[in-house]
Amino acid sequence: MLYVFKFPDIGEGIHEGKILKWHVKKGQEVMEGDPVVNVETDKVVTDIPIPKDGVIKNTYGKEGEVINVGDALVEMEVEGEEAEEEAEVKAPPKEGREAEGEPASRTEVAKAKTKTKKIEEKGFGVVGQIEEADTDAFLPATGEGMEAQAAVAAEKEPGRKALATPVARKMAMDLGIDINTVRGTGPAGRVMKEDIKKAFDEKQAGPKVARKPGKIEIPAEAEDMVEVEELTQIRKTIINRMVQSKFTAPHATAFEEVEVSRLVELRKEKKEELAEQGVKLSYMPFIIKAVSLALRRHKSLNCKLDMENNRVIYQKFYNIGFATDTPEGLMVPVIKNADRKSIIEIAESIKDLSDRARERKIQLDELKGGTFSITNYGSIAGTYGVPVINYPEVAILGVGRIVQRPVVKGGEIVPGNVLPLSMSFDHRIVDGADAARFIKDLMAMLADPLTMLMM
Amino acid sequence: MSIKISEDYNLPDSEMLRSGNSYKGLMVWVPENLMVVVGKGSDPEEELLAENILLDRIPVIRRGTGGCAVVLSPEMAVVSLILENDPDKKQNEYFRQFVGVITNAFKKMGVENIEMKGISDIAINGLKVAGSSIFRSKDYVFFHSIINIAGNTRAMERYLKFPPRQPDYRLNRSHRDFVTSLKEQGYEIDIHEFEENLKSEWLLHFR
């Protein structure tokens, strides 16, 4: 019987991906776990494995085409029980293409509908390892970002027909909501009753301030003077994340300076020694360790605000994300349980994760689950900044460049090494005093790293 | 003649031990006076020269960690550390790490040919300069190492019998032939500098 494998939800907030390369052709026999297509998602380029054994009947989408989660990827013949149910498939094959063995273009066939024998689809990940999305996923789904995406999706697919149960459809009709414009949060994008309720509430609340930027026209006479590049998936993600954070969490930023001569000395002393063992010791492992230890004492900086349920979730694990500059843009790999790792282990993790982020070999789950982030722009240049919180985290630390400056020690003016810190926090849940107390503890550890031994 | 053994362990690291896993830390301390400390399971009759101990009125204390009886004196330094227990980590792995940090700290100070020997000893040129033991609970690991900075072996010979158990490298040598001090090996150790080195080593290597 026929089985349609859809582009799976490979992480919360990931809604689309670009097909880079097909690994299979029509008529090809595949085994469960075989990569069928190479896709550029928001943060990584990854292979999508097929969840069943079978023979490929059709592939949907051309290389370079953007597909949405829930869109049909592959139609295949599999062995097994038939489930007598009709399912909608967003991108059925076009006969002409089928005959040629060429993938059907999604835009050409989006409105079509076909009958197929439905097989229950399990949640499948990429590279066979990615877990189902959870609330810690690196692309959080809140109304802010989603609203814009749903609108974009609706614009892109005017004939888009939402997946929904009859109950949900009736509810939408009763409330005067066009269900096809509602973004579904259920399996494979299914529109749930909650989604309709939310859409109704938003409709009742009236129009929001338009956040979709206007179209930029390029005058014909200026065409030779500009270079136009299509946004990459990663850049789109960054845009959504930044907008979501700034429009959701009221940011407040605290600035501080800490004299870190002892840290500079310690790092200098150990740097060469560890280099011989292949460990690159920057200041970041010390900062990450100190942050993770300070977070253990200041739970409000390591929480999540769950407004849906009017509660705060205090996390007793300390996963520190560190902003990494890659050729494709910003990525934030996460060092899990940093408080339980030695500084050498953190140094090794930083190198491993950032190298793989730059090579785009990093796994999605290595970009998820952060509880606090650090951005070290000082490694390039800059003293202070107003970092944007990596929402739904509630704080981010910006680390500036260490500068030599005169400082007063024991009543004497002496040369010092000053590290500028800028910490943005979500002022809904983190009070200024909490932030200040956290920074004070952090500064104490950075000023005298050996005090970390006592934390 | 029987020796009275104090079961009230009240040395400087006792607070650390009592705090258990609520405390994480490392300290280096120097005993204030001469004393004998027996291991948790030590048999005083088997390990101590009771007559001399009683005659010289040397206090004897029982510690919570394992191992044989030792002599503590103001010429020695004790490294005590406590940290959260990792149930997956084997005992010898802990010893290797703890002892490794101590030997690295001494190497930084120019001490040569210093290495781990036996289960948890530290030796220079094959002579014992420190002994270590561990107390491990479900929640935490408490380690201490007694380092002979400048002491001689006279007190050991006077108060301790030949130990009932010995590491391979001891080769039945007497205290005098088996034990040395850093001073005897030509190293003047500044305890404060050693402590700083030790802490920075530990900071990098431990969780």
Side-chain angles (χ1 to χ4, degrees):
Chain A
M1 80 185 140
L2 284 181
Y3 164 71
V4 177
F5 175 52
K6 296 170 185 172
F7 182 39
D9 179 0
I10 51 176
E12 185 179 340
I14 294 177
H15 306 286
E16 60 182 25
K18 184 190 272 184
I19 295 173
L20 295 186
K21 189 174 175 16
W22 279 104
H23 295 307
V24 293
K25 286 189 289 197
K26 188 181 169 188
Q28 186 176 329
E29 204 169 311
V30 289
M31 304 275 283
E32 178 186 337
D34 282 353
V36 286
V37 65
N38 188 245
V39 174
E40 181 194 27
T41 65
D42 296 310
K43 292 278 181 181
V44 291
V45 172
T46 189
D47 284 334
I48 305 286
I50 195 85
K52 291 179 182 297
D53 297 350
V55 177
I56 302 292
K57 302 292 285 181
N58 268 302
T59 57
Y60 301 132
K62 289 178 175 174
E63 291 177 0
E65 206 171 322
V66 173
I67 52 170
N68 293 309
V69 167
D71 283 356
L73 262 181
V74 163
E75 188 181 54
M76 61 193 287
E77 189 71 44
V78 297
E79 285 182 9
E81 290 296 314
E82 286 187 3
E84 294 297 333
E85 192 178 329
E86 186 181 308
E88 291 169 6
V89 178
K90 291 199 306 194
K94 193 175 182 182
E95 283 180 6
R97 304 264 183 202
E98 242 184 312
E100 293 159 23
E102 192 184 327
S105 162
R106 191 161 304 282
T107 48
E108 287 170 21
V109 296
K111 291 180 189 171
K113 189 178 171 186
T114 189
K115 270 190 182 179
T116 184
K117 308 289 184 193
K118 186 192 172 196
I119 296 172
E120 195 60 39
E121 210 174 280
K122 289 184 284 183
F124 257 80
V126 289
V127 206
Q129 296 295 328
I130 304 301
E131 294 167 7
E132 286 274 20
D134 56 22
T135 52
D136 295 336
F138 78 107
L139 274 176
T142 69
E144 299 285 343
M146 297 312 112
E147 185 188 322
Q149 289 193 0
V152 170
E155 264 181 31
K156 270 163 61 178
E157 292 180 81
R160 171 181 178 270
K161 195 162 169 65
L163 278 175
T165 60
V167 177
R169 287 186 192 283
K170 182 169 186 316
M171 185 182 176
M173 199 181 293
D174 292 347
L175 293 172
I177 300 288
D178 177 1
I179 200 165
N180 297 321
T181 62
V182 178
R183 183 188 170 268
T185 58
R190 191 177 296 272
V191 178
M192 313 298 283
K193 282 194 289 183
E194 298 76 42
D195 301 325
I196 294 163
K197 188 175 177 308
K198 194 176 168 196
F200 178 71
D201 290 345
E202 282 169 4
K203 191 179 169 189
Q204 293 295 101
K208 289 188 179 175
V209 177
R211 291 187 191 126
K212 205 178 137 195
K215 191 179 172 189
I216 307 287
E217 298 289 351
I218 303 166
E221 64 272 20
E223 272 178 2
D224 293 342
M225 298 166 72
V226 295
E227 190 182 316
V228 179
E229 254 179 30
E230 210 179 305
L231 291 175
T232 62
Q233 290 300 117
I234 288 176
R235 182 54 59 190
K236 283 193 224 172
T237 302
I238 294 169
I239 290 166
N240 286 335
R241 294 295 307 275
M242 295 294 173
V243 170
Q244 183 188 33
S245 177
K246 285 296 248 185
F247 278 96
T248 309
H251 284 49
T253 306
F255 303 97
E256 257 298 356
E257 289 184 342
V258 53
E259 207 286 311
V260 291
S261 289
R262 296 190 76 172
L263 173 64
V264 170
E265 206 177 302
L266 178 63
R267 185 241 177 184
K268 190 179 166 191
E269 182 196 318
K270 302 290 178 191
K271 193 181 160 189
E272 283 180 22
E273 179 190 322
L274 290 173
E276 287 169 18
Q277 299 166 32
V279 179
K280 186 186 170 198
L281 187 64
S282 65
Y283 291 108
M284 271 300 269
F286 293 94
I287 296 168
I288 288 174
K289 180 77 178 181
V291 162
S292 68
L293 294 175
L295 287 173
R296 294 212 294 207
R297 291 184 165 197
H298 301 276
K299 63 179 188 175
S300 69
L301 277 292
N302 200 55
C303 73
K304 276 182 183 160
L305 198 50
D306 176 10
M307 293 305 290
E308 288 279 317
N309 297 300
N310 289 316
R311 61 182 185 167
V312 187
I313 301 165
Y314 294 105
Q315 299 161 122
K316 292 178 181 174
F317 49 92
Y318 308 93
N319 297 344
I320 312 298
F322 60 99
T324 302
D325 178 38
T326 78
E328 321 300 325
L330 172 72
M331 286 201 199
V332 188
V334 175
I335 295 182
K336 308 266 166 71
N337 300 310
D339 61 317
R340 289 167 181 264
K341 285 190 161 71
S342 72
I343 284 173
I344 290 180
E345 286 169 331
I346 293 173
E348 288 168 338
S349 295
I350 291 172
K351 184 170 187 321
D352 172 48
L353 291 169
S354 50
D355 282 355
R356 285 190 293 113
R358 287 188 194 101
E359 293 161 12
R360 300 191 66 180
K361 289 178 181 167
I362 196 160
Q363 301 289 302
L364 261 179
D365 63 346
E366 293 170 316
L367 297 164
K368 295 198 306 187
T371 61
F372 186 102
S373 293
I374 300 175
T375 172
N376 179 17
Y377 43 79
S379 61
I380 301 169
T383 49
Y384 294 99
V386 182
V388 178
I389 297 165
N390 192 10
Y391 187 83
E393 294 168 17
V394 296
I396 181 169
L397 180 73
V399 179
R401 184 165 44 92
I402 295 176
V403 286
Q404 282 207 312
R405 225 187 259 169
V407 295
V408 179
K409 274 188 188 169
E412 300 282 319
I413 297 177
V414 293
N417 293 282
V418 175
L419 173 68
L421 301 174
S422 313
M423 189 178 79
S424 294
F425 51 96
D426 183 341
H427 217 338
R428 293 175 304 171
I429 191 66
V430 182
D431 294 338
D434 295 335
R437 278 188 281 266
F438 171 82
I439 291 178
K440 189 180 170 196
D441 271 0
L442 179 63
M443 286 168 63
M445 284 187 274
L446 295 176
D448 182 2
L450 297 188
T451 59
M452 282 190 240
L453 296 177
M454 312 306 282
M455 298 286 276
Chain B
M1 265 187 290
S2 67
I3 301 168
K4 190 182 172 208
I5 298 176
S6 168
E7 301 289 339
D8 179 24
Y9 184 81
N10 60 355
L11 298 180
D13 55 2
S14 59
E15 184 57 35
M16 186 185 260
L17 190 53
R18 261 194 290 275
S19 312
N21 66 340
S22 63
Y23 189 94
K24 178 192 164 195
L26 178 153
M27 65 189 290
V28 177
W29 53 281
V30 174
E32 285 181 0
N33 42 45
L34 194 64
M35 69 188 85
V36 169
V37 181
V38 297
K40 192 176 175 66
S42 284
D43 176 356
E45 293 219 348
E46 201 180 16
E47 298 184 29
L48 306 183
L49 293 163
E51 197 176 334
N52 294 342
I53 289 172
L54 288 169
L55 196 66
D56 297 347
R57 297 183 178 180
I58 301 296
V60 181
I61 300 173
R62 192 181 292 280
R63 64 176 187 261
T65 57
C68 293
V70 294
V71 169
L72 290 190
S73 80
E75 288 80 36
M76 296 173 180
V78 184
V79 173
S80 303
L81 67 85
I82 191 164
L83 75 168
E84 208 174 316
N85 182 41
D86 176 354
D88 296 332
K89 202 174 252 186
K90 291 181 180 154
Q91 203 93 317
N92 58 355
E93 213 177 322
Y94 269 126
F95 271 129
R96 207 167 42 244
Q97 285 190 320
F98 294 149
V99 170
V101 167
I102 295 173
T103 53
N104 275 354
F106 279 124
K107 282 176 186 169
K108 295 272 159 16
M109 300 172 79
V111 178
E112 293 174 357
N113 299 326
I114 188 164
E115 60 181 338
M116 184 170 169
K117 281 278 196 183
I119 296 170
S120 58
D121 286 353
I122 297 174
I124 300 177
N125 299 320
L127 297 170
K128 178 173 174 173
V129 75
S132 315
S133 56
I134 278 179
F135 174 77
R136 191 172 181 185
S137 80
K138 184 169 68 69
D139 300 322
Y140 65 91
V141 182
F142 175 74
F143 165 90
H144 64 194
S145 183
I146 298 161
I147 303 161
N148 193 4
I149 301 290
N152 57 43
T153 55
R154 274 197 301 274
M156 289 177 213
E157 288 167 282
R158 184 161 172 78
Y159 305 125
L160 305 181
K161 289 180 180 172
F162 190 86
R165 302 177 295 281
Q166 60 170 316
D168 291 347
Y169 81 104
R170 180 157 187 154
L171 304 169
N172 289 317
R173 285 181 285 179
S174 66
H175 294 311
R176 183 188 296 183
D177 293 336
F178 176 57
V179 177
T180 188
S181 71
L182 283 144
K183 188 176 182 181
E184 206 169 73
Q185 294 296 314
Y187 302 106
E188 288 289 342
I189 299 297
D190 178 308
I191 298 288
H192 180 69
E193 188 189 344
F194 167 65
E195 184 175 2
E196 289 291 301
N197 278 333
L198 188 66
K199 285 183 172 175
S200 62
E201 275 295 311
W202 199 47
L203 176 66
L204 292 187
H205 290 89
F206 280 91
R207 294 161 180 177

